[in-house]
């Protein structure tokens, strides 16, 4: 058996755009439903979604038959968590809150076996190697791993050139919600200064030959970012799509007020 080709990584390295949907329910049934929508990728959110290794595993298994590529956002850069998530067969990782090249290098090292990194060797016991059915996993499997670091602070933006030049970082994903907070613009992820910082980061990433991604749930904002060189955009969050359409329905039928709510880009 051969390691599955990481079509998301392939698309990013060939410059193709990839649209994604955020899966926040931490539930395989909901995430499988999202996988049928036709997005190029979906995000299994282990940072803000109530996920653990088992729930991430169940979602990876649920979406395996579909073309939508699962990106797993881990809770943080802890190498022990990265090891577990890789061992259950995640191929693309998104790691939040990366502010420096040193942190980015540590993330890459956690995804590589010695002597190139520090990942513990145990995939034979895991889904990653399909329990040894992929005999050369240590070599071919690692080649299919895609490392996305999240830059979402003023510090991260100021270090963007060094971060994107780290070998093994395939792409950078800008988090407008956290970045707006870091810029003292809480709840204003589409503020012009936030957009400007993300477009600046995008041009630096692309110039370094790395992919740039962003969360943009407003359609016009998403189009703006794609026109500015963003390659992979998350354009919808499942839980927000559900509650927003529920609220819109009640507004229409009952005339409920359209209250101002937190925006998520
Ligand atoms: O800062 C951001 O934007 C993100 O990282 C995405 C958020 O975490 C997402 O969960 C929406 O709030």
């Amino acid at each position: 058996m051969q390691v599955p080709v990481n079509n998301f990584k392939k698309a990013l390295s060939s410059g193709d755009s990839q649209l994604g949907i955020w899966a926040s329910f931490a539930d395989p049934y909901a995430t499988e439903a999202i996988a049928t929508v036709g997005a190029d990728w979906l995000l299994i959110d282990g940072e803000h979604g109530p996920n653990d290794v088992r729930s991430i595993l169940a979602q990876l298994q649920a979406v395996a038959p579909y073309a939508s590529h699962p990106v797993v956002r881990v809770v943080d850069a802890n190498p022990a968590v990265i090891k577990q998530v890789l061992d259950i067969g995640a191929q693309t990782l998104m790691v939040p809150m990366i502010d420096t090249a040193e942190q980015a290098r540590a993330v890459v090292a956690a995804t590589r076996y010695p002597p190139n990194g520090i990942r513990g060797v145990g995939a034979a016991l895991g889904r990653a190697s399909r329990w040894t059915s992929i005999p050369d996993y240590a070599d071919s499997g690692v080649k299919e791993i895609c490392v996305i670091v999240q830059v979402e602070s003023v510090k991260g933006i100021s270090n963007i050139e060094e971060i994107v030049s780290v070998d093994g970082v395939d792409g950078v994903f800008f988090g407008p919600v956290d970045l707006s907070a870091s810029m003292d613009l809480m709840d204003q992820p589409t503020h012009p200064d936030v957009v400007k910082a993300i477009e600046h980061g995008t041009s630096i990433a692309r110039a370094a030959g790395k992919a740039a991604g962003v969360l943009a749930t407003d359609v016009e904002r998403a189009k703006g970012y794609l026109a500015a060189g963003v390659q992979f955009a998350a354009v919808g969050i499942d839980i927000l799509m559900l509650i927003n359409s529920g609220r819109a329905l009640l507004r229409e039928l009952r005339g409920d007020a359209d209250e101002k709510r937190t925006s998520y880009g």
Side-chain angles (χ1 to χ4, degrees):
M1 190 174 178
Q2 291 192 329
V3 71
V5 172
N6 185 337
N7 286 321
F8 178 75
K9 179 170 171 141
K10 208 169 154 185
L12 293 188
S13 64
S14 54
D16 293 348
S17 305
Q18 298 280 287
L19 297 182
I21 307 268
W22 219 260
S24 304
F25 281 100
D27 179 84
Y29 197 74
T31 304
E32 183 178 359
I34 292 165
T36 67
V37 166
D40 304 301
W41 60 284
L42 56 86
L43 184 106
I44 299 173
D45 190 4
E47 186 191 13
H48 290 299
N51 274 300
D52 56 21
V53 177
R54 280 197 175 272
S55 68
I56 293 170
L57 169 63
Q59 290 168 85
L60 290 173
Q61 290 172 323
V63 303
Y66 302 92
S68 214
H69 178 79
V71 175
V72 175
R73 180 162 76 164
V74 286
V75 65
D76 63 16
N78 181 346
V81 173
I82 290 175
K83 173 168 58 184
Q84 283 188 304
V85 170
L86 290 175
D87 281 353
I88 59 172
Q91 291 186 302
T92 302
L93 298 187
M94 189 188 287
V95 182
M97 304 284 182
I98 297 302
D99 292 333
T100 65
E102 193 184 357
Q103 290 172 339
R105 264 190 294 277
V107 168
V108 173
T111 68
R112 306 294 201 256
Y113 290 125
N116 302 313
I118 58 155
R119 179 177 170 191
V121 185
L125 310 183
R127 180 172 173 268
S129 74
R130 300 304 185 267
W131 303 276
T132 70
S133 299
I134 302 170
D136 63 342
Y137 173 79
D139 181 34
S140 65
V142 171
K143 289 196 180 111
E144 297 300 328
I145 290 172
C146 179
V147 176
I148 307 291
V149 293
Q150 256 197 287
V151 168
E152 40 192 350
S153 69
V154 171
K155 187 173 177 189
I157 293 284
S158 68
N159 287 328
I160 190 68
E161 265 182 75
E162 292 78 14
I163 292 173
V164 295
S165 51
V166 170
D167 207 23
V169 166
D170 296 288
V172 57
F173 187 89
F174 298 100
V177 178
D178 282 300
L179 180 59
S180 63
S182 168
M183 293 172 75
D184 200 14
L185 294 166
M186 181 62 104
D187 288 346
Q188 299 178 68
T190 56
H191 187 286
D193 291 351
V194 177
V195 173
K196 202 167 144 198
I198 291 174
E199 291 187 345
H200 162 74
T202 297
S203 62
I204 301 225
R206 296 304 303 270
K210 300 293 171 76
V214 74
L215 169 68
T217 59
D218 173 85
V219 172
E220 291 311 315
R221 186 82 303 288
K223 285 182 185 168
Y225 280 133
L226 290 165
V230 159
Q231 260 182 283
F232 62 114
V235 294
I237 300 179
D238 55 0
I239 211 155
L240 295 181
M241 290 192 277
L242 179 68
I243 59 171
N244 286 339
S245 62
R247 285 173 183 148
L249 194 59
L250 294 180
R251 266 201 310 276
E252 196 167 332
L253 289 168
R254 219 166 54 181
D256 286 3
D258 187 5
E259 289 167 40
K260 181 183 174 336
R261 297 183 196 273
T262 304
S263 154
Y264 290 100

